PDB file of all heavy atoms in Angstrom:
ATOM      1  N   SER A   6     154.307  96.416 179.009  1.00 38.00           N
ATOM      2  CA  SER A   6     152.819  96.849 179.087  1.00 38.00           C
ATOM      3  C   SER A   6     152.640  98.202 179.650  1.00 38.00           C
ATOM      4  O   SER A   6     151.699  98.950 179.147  1.00 38.00           O
ATOM      5  CB  SER A   6     152.071  95.813 179.967  1.00 38.00           C
ATOM      6  OG  SER A   6     152.542  95.831 181.236  1.00 38.00           O
ATOM      7  N   GLU A   7     153.482  98.649 180.579  1.00 41.00           N
ATOM      8  CA  GLU A   7     153.352 100.011 181.030  1.00 41.00           C
ATOM      9  C   GLU A   7     153.801 101.015 179.912  1.00 41.00           C
ATOM     10  O   GLU A   7     153.050 102.053 179.782  1.00 41.00           O
ATOM     11  CB  GLU A   7     154.347 100.275 182.229  1.00 41.00           C
ATOM     12  CG  GLU A   7     153.886  99.564 183.410  1.00 41.00           C
ATOM     13  CD  GLU A   7     154.125  97.985 183.336  1.00 41.00           C
ATOM     14  OE1 GLU A   7     155.100  97.608 182.586  1.00 41.00           O
ATOM     15  OE2 GLU A   7     153.601  97.200 184.071  1.00 41.00           O
ATOM     16  N   GLU A   8     154.724 100.697 179.178  1.00 42.00           N
ATOM     17  CA  GLU A   8     155.112 101.572 178.037  1.00 42.00           C
ATOM     18  C   GLU A   8     153.954 101.699 176.954  1.00 42.00           C
ATOM     19  O   GLU A   8     153.674 102.826 176.468  1.00 42.00           O
ATOM     20  CB  GLU A   8     156.375 101.182 177.395  1.00 42.00           C
ATOM     21  CG  GLU A   8     157.638 101.380 178.286  1.00 42.00           C
ATOM     22  CD  GLU A   8     158.852 100.795 177.681  1.00 42.00           C
ATOM     23  OE1 GLU A   8     158.840  99.699 177.136  1.00 42.00           O
ATOM     24  OE2 GLU A   8     159.952 101.421 177.654  1.00 42.00           O
ATOM     25  N   ILE A   9     153.381 100.518 176.695  1.00 41.00           N
ATOM     26  CA  ILE A   9     152.251 100.531 175.787  1.00 41.00           C
ATOM     27  C   ILE A   9     151.104 101.363 176.257  1.00 41.00           C
ATOM     28  O   ILE A   9     150.536 102.134 175.460  1.00 41.00           O
ATOM     29  CB  ILE A   9     151.758  99.020 175.541  1.00 41.00           C
ATOM     30  CG1 ILE A   9     152.870  98.229 174.782  1.00 41.00           C
ATOM     31  CG2 ILE A   9     150.510  99.107 174.706  1.00 41.00           C
ATOM     32  CD1 ILE A   9     152.517  96.830 174.683  1.00 41.00           C
ATOM     33  N   LYS A  10     150.805 101.318 177.549  1.00 42.00           N
ATOM     34  CA  LYS A  10     149.715 102.133 178.109  1.00 42.00           C
ATOM     35  C   LYS A  10     150.090 103.622 177.909  1.00 42.00           C
ATOM     36  O   LYS A  10     149.201 104.471 177.817  1.00 42.00           O
ATOM     37  CB  LYS A  10     149.497 101.725 179.473  1.00 42.00           C
ATOM     38  CG  LYS A  10     148.801 100.368 179.676  1.00 42.00           C
ATOM     39  CD  LYS A  10     148.652 100.110 181.136  1.00 42.00           C
ATOM     40  CE  LYS A  10     148.101  98.608 181.251  1.00 42.00           C
ATOM     41  NZ  LYS A  10     148.022  98.210 182.717  1.00 42.00           N
ATOM     42  N   ALA A  11     151.362 103.884 178.024  1.00 45.00           N
ATOM     43  CA  ALA A  11     151.755 105.316 178.041  1.00 45.00           C
ATOM     44  C   ALA A  11     151.793 105.853 176.554  1.00 45.00           C
ATOM     45  O   ALA A  11     151.835 107.077 176.366  1.00 45.00           O
ATOM     46  CB  ALA A  11     153.255 105.467 178.514  1.00 45.00           C
ATOM     47  N   VAL A  12     151.778 104.988 175.594  1.00 45.00           N
ATOM     48  CA  VAL A  12     151.771 105.433 174.174  1.00 45.00           C
ATOM     49  C   VAL A  12     150.399 106.198 173.853  1.00 45.00           C
ATOM     50  O   VAL A  12     149.412 105.622 174.219  1.00 45.00           O
ATOM     51  CB  VAL A  12     152.014 104.307 173.200  1.00 45.00           C
ATOM     52  CG1 VAL A  12     151.992 104.762 171.778  1.00 45.00           C
ATOM     53  CG2 VAL A  12     153.414 103.652 173.543  1.00 45.00           C
ATOM     54  N   LYS A  13     150.510 107.260 173.187  1.00 44.00           N
ATOM     55  CA  LYS A  13     149.243 107.888 172.902  1.00 44.00           C
ATOM     56  C   LYS A  13     148.409 107.108 172.010  1.00 44.00           C
ATOM     57  O   LYS A  13     148.908 106.466 171.096  1.00 44.00           O
ATOM     58  CB  LYS A  13     149.469 109.364 172.354  1.00 44.00           C
ATOM     59  CG  LYS A  13     150.220 109.362 170.974  1.00 44.00           C
ATOM     60  CD  LYS A  13     150.498 110.724 170.565  1.00 44.00           C
ATOM     61  CE  LYS A  13     151.270 110.719 169.248  1.00 44.00           C
ATOM     62  NZ  LYS A  13     151.604 112.073 168.810  1.00 44.00           N
ATOM     63  N   THR A  14     147.090 107.201 172.143  1.00 46.00           N
ATOM     64  CA  THR A  14     146.179 106.428 171.361  1.00 46.00           C
ATOM     65  C   THR A  14     146.154 106.824 169.941  1.00 46.00           C
ATOM     66  O   THR A  14     146.285 108.043 169.688  1.00 46.00           O
ATOM     67  CB  THR A  14     144.766 106.366 172.063  1.00 46.00           C
ATOM     68  OG1 THR A  14     144.361 107.797 172.099  1.00 46.00           O
ATOM     69  CG2 THR A  14     144.818 105.774 173.363  1.00 46.00           C
ATOM     70  N   THR A  15     145.774 105.948 169.041  1.00 48.00           N
ATOM     71  CA  THR A  15     145.632 106.371 167.639  1.00 48.00           C
ATOM     72  C   THR A  15     144.504 107.366 167.454  1.00 48.00           C
ATOM     73  O   THR A  15     143.441 107.157 167.976  1.00 48.00           O
ATOM     74  CB  THR A  15     145.364 105.107 166.821  1.00 48.00           C
ATOM     75  OG1 THR A  15     146.416 104.162 167.020  1.00 48.00           O
ATOM     76  CG2 THR A  15     145.341 105.450 165.391  1.00 48.00           C
ATOM     77  N   LYS A  16     144.734 108.373 166.607  1.00 53.00           N
ATOM     78  CA  LYS A  16     143.652 109.395 166.410  1.00 53.00           C
ATOM     79  C   LYS A  16     142.652 108.883 165.340  1.00 53.00           C
ATOM     80  O   LYS A  16     142.571 109.455 164.262  1.00 53.00           O
ATOM     81  CB  LYS A  16     144.389 110.573 165.898  1.00 53.00           C
ATOM     82  CG  LYS A  16     145.362 111.250 166.922  1.00 53.00           C
ATOM     83  CD  LYS A  16     146.058 112.471 166.397  1.00 53.00           C
ATOM     84  CE  LYS A  16     147.136 112.984 167.485  1.00 53.00           C
ATOM     85  NZ  LYS A  16     147.833 114.211 167.022  1.00 53.00           N
ATOM     86  N   THR A  17     141.841 107.988 165.702  1.00 58.00           N
ATOM     87  CA  THR A  17     140.863 107.444 164.858  1.00 58.00           C
ATOM     88  C   THR A  17     139.582 107.339 165.720  1.00 58.00           C
ATOM     89  O   THR A  17     139.620 106.949 166.968  1.00 58.00           O
ATOM     90  CB  THR A  17     141.225 106.109 164.235  1.00 58.00           C
ATOM     91  OG1 THR A  17     141.583 105.168 165.256  1.00 58.00           O
ATOM     92  CG2 THR A  17     142.433 106.247 163.279  1.00 58.00           C
ATOM     93  N   ASN A  18     138.465 107.367 165.058  1.00 66.00           N
ATOM     94  CA  ASN A  18     137.142 107.195 165.768  1.00 66.00           C
ATOM     95  C   ASN A  18     136.779 105.714 165.712  1.00 66.00           C
ATOM     96  O   ASN A  18     137.417 104.876 165.196  1.00 66.00           O
ATOM     97  CB  ASN A  18     136.072 108.105 165.193  1.00 66.00           C
ATOM     98  CG  ASN A  18     135.980 107.843 163.727  1.00 66.00           C
ATOM     99  OD1 ASN A  18     135.907 106.781 163.302  1.00 66.00           O
ATOM    100  ND2 ASN A  18     135.706 108.882 162.919  1.00 66.00           N
ATOM    101  N   VAL A  19     135.704 105.446 166.461  1.00 72.00           N
ATOM    102  CA  VAL A  19     135.188 104.061 166.583  1.00 72.00           C
ATOM    103  C   VAL A  19     134.918 103.461 165.174  1.00 72.00           C
ATOM    104  O   VAL A  19     135.173 102.354 164.931  1.00 72.00           O
ATOM    105  CB  VAL A  19     133.920 103.969 167.478  1.00 72.00           C
ATOM    106  CG1 VAL A  19     133.366 102.613 167.492  1.00 72.00           C
ATOM    107  CG2 VAL A  19     134.326 104.433 168.936  1.00 72.00           C
ATOM    108  N   PHE A  20     134.340 104.285 164.286  1.00 68.00           N
ATOM    109  CA  PHE A  20     133.920 103.790 162.981  1.00 68.00           C
ATOM    110  C   PHE A  20     135.106 103.462 162.175  1.00 68.00           C
ATOM    111  O   PHE A  20     135.189 102.313 161.558  1.00 68.00           O
ATOM    112  CB  PHE A  20     133.183 104.848 162.313  1.00 68.00           C
ATOM    113  CG  PHE A  20     132.649 104.414 160.935  1.00 68.00           C
ATOM    114  CD1 PHE A  20     131.678 103.411 160.809  1.00 68.00           C
ATOM    115  CD2 PHE A  20     133.043 105.045 159.740  1.00 68.00           C
ATOM    116  CE1 PHE A  20     131.278 103.032 159.589  1.00 68.00           C
ATOM    117  CE2 PHE A  20     132.647 104.687 158.521  1.00 68.00           C
ATOM    118  CZ  PHE A  20     131.734 103.680 158.424  1.00 68.00           C
ATOM    119  N   GLN A  21     136.218 104.281 162.249  1.00 68.00           N
ATOM    120  CA  GLN A  21     137.462 103.976 161.507  1.00 68.00           C
ATOM    121  C   GLN A  21     138.169 102.797 162.106  1.00 68.00           C
ATOM    122  O   GLN A  21     138.616 101.914 161.317  1.00 68.00           O
ATOM    123  CB  GLN A  21     138.369 105.190 161.609  1.00 68.00           C
ATOM    124  CG  GLN A  21     137.979 106.361 160.793  1.00 68.00           C
ATOM    125  CD  GLN A  21     138.817 107.577 161.002  1.00 68.00           C
ATOM    126  OE1 GLN A  21     139.147 107.828 162.152  1.00 68.00           O
ATOM    127  NE2 GLN A  21     139.156 108.295 159.960  1.00 68.00           N
ATOM    128  N   ARG A  22     138.099 102.549 163.340  1.00 72.00           N
ATOM    129  CA  ARG A  22     138.697 101.393 163.984  1.00 72.00           C
ATOM    130  C   ARG A  22     137.889 100.129 163.606  1.00 72.00           C
ATOM    131  O   ARG A  22     138.503  98.995 163.445  1.00 72.00           O
ATOM    132  CB  ARG A  22     138.782 101.574 165.514  1.00 72.00           C
ATOM    133  CG  ARG A  22     139.839 102.570 165.988  1.00 72.00           C
ATOM    134  CD  ARG A  22     140.158 102.414 167.481  1.00 72.00           C
ATOM    135  NE  ARG A  22     138.988 102.695 168.274  1.00 72.00           N
ATOM    136  CZ  ARG A  22     138.669 103.978 168.736  1.00 72.00           C
ATOM    137  NH1 ARG A  22     139.438 104.922 168.405  1.00 72.00           N
ATOM    138  NH2 ARG A  22     137.666 104.126 169.481  1.00 72.00           N
ATOM    139  N   SER A  23     136.628 100.209 163.520  1.00 75.00           N
ATOM    140  CA  SER A  23     135.791  99.116 163.037  1.00 75.00           C
ATOM    141  C   SER A  23     136.139  98.642 161.610  1.00 75.00           C
ATOM    142  O   SER A  23     136.263  97.436 161.392  1.00 75.00           O
ATOM    143  CB  SER A  23     134.321  99.390 163.184  1.00 75.00           C
ATOM    144  OG  SER A  23     134.021  99.800 164.536  1.00 75.00           O
ATOM    145  N   LEU A  24     136.298  99.627 160.726  1.00 71.00           N
ATOM    146  CA  LEU A  24     136.666  99.293 159.362  1.00 71.00           C
ATOM    147  C   LEU A  24     138.047  98.654 159.312  1.00 71.00           C
ATOM    148  O   LEU A  24     138.271  97.779 158.543  1.00 71.00           O
ATOM    149  CB  LEU A  24     136.602 100.622 158.536  1.00 71.00           C
ATOM    150  CG  LEU A  24     135.249 101.214 158.286  1.00 71.00           C
ATOM    151  CD1 LEU A  24     135.417 102.524 157.473  1.00 71.00           C
ATOM    152  CD2 LEU A  24     134.279 100.288 157.563  1.00 71.00           C
ATOM    153  N   LYS A  25     138.995  99.189 160.168  1.00 74.00           N
ATOM    154  CA  LYS A  25     140.287  98.600 160.207  1.00 74.00           C
ATOM    155  C   LYS A  25     140.253  97.239 160.707  1.00 74.00           C
ATOM    156  O   LYS A  25     140.900  96.270 160.265  1.00 74.00           O
ATOM    157  CB  LYS A  25     141.221  99.428 161.135  1.00 74.00           C
ATOM    158  CG  LYS A  25     142.639  98.908 161.206  1.00 74.00           C
ATOM    159  CD  LYS A  25     143.334  99.106 159.846  1.00 74.00           C
ATOM    160  CE  LYS A  25     144.815  98.825 160.014  1.00 74.00           C
ATOM    161  NZ  LYS A  25     145.248  97.507 160.436  1.00 74.00           N
ATOM    162  N   THR A  26     139.376  96.849 161.646  1.00 80.00           N
ATOM    163  CA  THR A  26     139.220  95.562 162.138  1.00 80.00           C
ATOM    164  C   THR A  26     138.692  94.688 161.067  1.00 80.00           C
ATOM    165  O   THR A  26     139.203  93.441 160.867  1.00 80.00           O
ATOM    166  CB  THR A  26     138.267  95.543 163.380  1.00 80.00           C
ATOM    167  OG1 THR A  26     138.824  96.351 164.460  1.00 80.00           O
ATOM    168  CG2 THR A  26     138.166  94.051 163.884  1.00 80.00           C
ATOM    169  N   PHE A  27     137.708  95.128 160.294  1.00 78.00           N
ATOM    170  CA  PHE A  27     137.176  94.318 159.170  1.00 78.00           C
ATOM    171  C   PHE A  27     138.293  93.952 158.217  1.00 78.00           C
ATOM    172  O   PHE A  27     138.509  92.847 157.692  1.00 78.00           O
ATOM    173  CB  PHE A  27     135.991  95.073 158.414  1.00 78.00           C
ATOM    174  CG  PHE A  27     134.771  94.735 158.904  1.00 78.00           C
ATOM    175  CD1 PHE A  27     134.101  95.417 159.960  1.00 78.00           C
ATOM    176  CD2 PHE A  27     133.989  93.630 158.329  1.00 78.00           C
ATOM    177  CE1 PHE A  27     132.784  95.094 160.373  1.00 78.00           C
ATOM    178  CE2 PHE A  27     132.701  93.410 158.775  1.00 78.00           C
ATOM    179  CZ  PHE A  27     132.186  94.023 159.780  1.00 78.00           C
ATOM    180  N   SER A  28     139.111  95.006 157.978  1.00 76.00           N
ATOM    181  CA  SER A  28     140.179  94.781 156.955  1.00 76.00           C
ATOM    182  C   SER A  28     141.224  93.725 157.554  1.00 76.00           C
ATOM    183  O   SER A  28     141.638  92.874 156.723  1.00 76.00           O
ATOM    184  CB  SER A  28     140.933  96.189 156.780  1.00 76.00           C
ATOM    185  OG  SER A  28     142.095  95.989 156.078  1.00 76.00           O
ATOM    186  N   ASP A  29     141.524  93.868 158.755  1.00 80.00           N
ATOM    187  CA  ASP A  29     142.541  92.960 159.399  1.00 80.00           C
ATOM    188  C   ASP A  29     142.064  91.481 159.444  1.00 80.00           C
ATOM    189  O   ASP A  29     142.854  90.632 159.308  1.00 80.00           O
ATOM    190  CB  ASP A  29     142.861  93.394 160.779  1.00 80.00           C
ATOM    191  CG  ASP A  29     143.609  94.669 160.825  1.00 80.00           C
ATOM    192  OD1 ASP A  29     144.142  95.098 159.782  1.00 80.00           O
ATOM    193  OD2 ASP A  29     143.697  95.364 161.933  1.00 80.00           O
ATOM    194  N   ILE A  30     140.732  91.362 159.448  1.00 86.00           N
ATOM    195  CA  ILE A  30     140.098  90.033 159.634  1.00 86.00           C
ATOM    196  C   ILE A  30     140.073  89.375 158.172  1.00 86.00           C
ATOM    197  O   ILE A  30     140.468  88.204 158.013  1.00 86.00           O
ATOM    198  CB  ILE A  30     138.812  90.018 160.171  1.00 86.00           C
ATOM    199  CG1 ILE A  30     138.834  90.355 161.718  1.00 86.00           C
ATOM    200  CG2 ILE A  30     138.044  88.681 160.036  1.00 86.00           C
ATOM    201  CD1 ILE A  30     137.561  90.491 162.342  1.00 86.00           C
ATOM    202  N   PHE A  31     139.639  90.112 157.203  1.00 81.00           N
ATOM    203  CA  PHE A  31     139.267  89.519 155.889  1.00 81.00           C
ATOM    204  C   PHE A  31     140.365  89.516 154.841  1.00 81.00           C
ATOM    205  O   PHE A  31     140.367  88.617 153.946  1.00 81.00           O
ATOM    206  CB  PHE A  31     137.991  90.215 155.287  1.00 81.00           C
ATOM    207  CG  PHE A  31     136.791  89.907 156.011  1.00 81.00           C
ATOM    208  CD1 PHE A  31     136.252  90.713 156.926  1.00 81.00           C
ATOM    209  CD2 PHE A  31     136.182  88.642 155.800  1.00 81.00           C
ATOM    210  CE1 PHE A  31     135.043  90.418 157.599  1.00 81.00           C
ATOM    211  CE2 PHE A  31     134.975  88.328 156.526  1.00 81.00           C
ATOM    212  CZ  PHE A  31     134.484  89.168 157.322  1.00 81.00           C
ATOM    213  N   ILE A  32     141.321  90.503 154.993  1.00 78.00           N
ATOM    214  CA  ILE A  32     142.434  90.470 153.999  1.00 78.00           C
ATOM    215  C   ILE A  32     143.289  89.227 154.069  1.00 78.00           C
ATOM    216  O   ILE A  32     143.650  88.597 153.048  1.00 78.00           O
ATOM    217  CB  ILE A  32     143.327  91.789 154.249  1.00 78.00           C
ATOM    218  CG1 ILE A  32     142.516  92.968 153.688  1.00 78.00           C
ATOM    219  CG2 ILE A  32     144.683  91.587 153.554  1.00 78.00           C
ATOM    220  CD1 ILE A  32     143.215  94.262 153.757  1.00 78.00           C
ATOM    221  N   PRO A  33     143.562  88.617 155.252  1.00 83.00           N
ATOM    222  CA  PRO A  33     144.409  87.415 155.317  1.00 83.00           C
ATOM    223  C   PRO A  33     143.688  86.253 154.677  1.00 83.00           C
ATOM    224  O   PRO A  33     144.501  85.260 154.164  1.00 83.00           O
ATOM    225  CB  PRO A  33     144.495  87.139 156.793  1.00 83.00           C
ATOM    226  CG  PRO A  33     144.452  88.464 157.464  1.00 83.00           C
ATOM    227  CD  PRO A  33     143.395  89.180 156.661  1.00 83.00           C
ATOM    228  N   ILE A  34     142.333  86.203 154.618  1.00 85.00           N
ATOM    229  CA  ILE A  34     141.717  85.106 153.871  1.00 85.00           C
ATOM    230  C   ILE A  34     141.331  85.294 152.512  1.00 85.00           C
ATOM    231  O   ILE A  34     140.799  84.421 151.859  1.00 85.00           O
ATOM    232  CB  ILE A  34     140.410  84.567 154.704  1.00 85.00           C
ATOM    233  CG1 ILE A  34     139.395  85.712 154.643  1.00 85.00           C
ATOM    234  CG2 ILE A  34     140.835  84.283 156.173  1.00 85.00           C
ATOM    235  CD1 ILE A  34     138.013  85.282 155.314  1.00 85.00           C
ATOM    236  N   LEU A  35     141.701  86.492 151.966  1.00 79.00           N
ATOM    237  CA  LEU A  35     141.382  86.848 150.568  1.00 79.00           C
ATOM    238  C   LEU A  35     142.049  85.839 149.577  1.00 79.00           C
ATOM    239  O   LEU A  35     141.427  85.510 148.532  1.00 79.00           O
ATOM    240  CB  LEU A  35     141.711  88.189 150.235  1.00 79.00           C
ATOM    241  CG  LEU A  35     140.752  89.386 150.705  1.00 79.00           C
ATOM    242  CD1 LEU A  35     141.226  90.661 150.257  1.00 79.00           C
ATOM    243  CD2 LEU A  35     139.390  89.054 150.061  1.00 79.00           C
ATOM    244  N   PRO A  36     143.283  85.442 149.753  1.00 82.00           N
ATOM    245  CA  PRO A  36     143.900  84.518 148.758  1.00 82.00           C
ATOM    246  C   PRO A  36     143.092  83.284 148.581  1.00 82.00           C
ATOM    247  O   PRO A  36     142.901  82.866 147.335  1.00 82.00           O
ATOM    248  CB  PRO A  36     145.196  84.200 149.407  1.00 82.00           C
ATOM    249  CG  PRO A  36     145.594  85.397 150.206  1.00 82.00           C
ATOM    250  CD  PRO A  36     144.346  85.863 150.745  1.00 82.00           C
ATOM    251  N   ALA A  37     142.578  82.691 149.576  1.00 85.00           N
ATOM    252  CA  ALA A  37     141.634  81.481 149.541  1.00 85.00           C
ATOM    253  C   ALA A  37     140.288  81.835 148.777  1.00 85.00           C
ATOM    254  O   ALA A  37     139.960  81.118 147.931  1.00 85.00           O
ATOM    255  CB  ALA A  37     141.424  80.951 150.875  1.00 85.00           C
ATOM    256  N   ILE A  38     139.777  83.005 149.117  1.00 81.00           N
ATOM    257  CA  ILE A  38     138.477  83.364 148.570  1.00 81.00           C
ATOM    258  C   ILE A  38     138.724  83.717 147.005  1.00 81.00           C
ATOM    259  O   ILE A  38     137.863  83.411 146.252  1.00 81.00           O
ATOM    260  CB  ILE A  38     137.918  84.616 149.265  1.00 81.00           C
ATOM    261  CG1 ILE A  38     137.703  84.197 150.750  1.00 81.00           C
ATOM    262  CG2 ILE A  38     136.574  85.039 148.595  1.00 81.00           C
ATOM    263  CD1 ILE A  38     136.792  83.083 150.936  1.00 81.00           C
ATOM    264  N   VAL A  39     139.806  84.466 146.755  1.00 77.00           N
ATOM    265  CA  VAL A  39     140.004  84.865 145.315  1.00 77.00           C
ATOM    266  C   VAL A  39     140.309  83.540 144.509  1.00 77.00           C
ATOM    267  O   VAL A  39     139.825  83.411 143.400  1.00 77.00           O
ATOM    268  CB  VAL A  39     141.246  85.829 145.290  1.00 77.00           C
ATOM    269  CG1 VAL A  39     141.656  86.042 143.791  1.00 77.00           C
ATOM    270  CG2 VAL A  39     140.812  87.186 145.881  1.00 77.00           C
ATOM    271  N   GLY A  40     141.061  82.683 145.081  1.00 84.00           N
ATOM    272  CA  GLY A  40     141.456  81.446 144.367  1.00 84.00           C
ATOM    273  C   GLY A  40     140.121  80.643 144.109  1.00 84.00           C
ATOM    274  O   GLY A  40     139.917  80.074 143.076  1.00 84.00           O
TER     275      GLY A  40
END
């Protein structure tokens, strides 16, 4: 955990991270929705 905290943060803003979160949530359930 100490090493993780030492890693530099991703160079993305709040809006980009929000979009990435949407993607991470909905892409795994897409096969069921598409089917």
Side-chain angles (χ1 to χ4, degrees):
S6 57
E7 289 75 22
E8 290 173 316
I9 291 176
K10 292 177 182 177
V12 178
K13 61 183 180 182
T14 56
T15 303
K16 298 177 182 178
T17 55
N18 55 41
V19 174
F20 183 66
Q21 290 173 317
R22 289 196 295 272
S23 299
L24 292 177
K25 182 65 171 59
T26 300
F27 265 92
S28 173
D29 292 342
I30 289 172
F31 287 102
I32 285 180
I34 66 176
L35 277 182
I38 301 302
V39 170

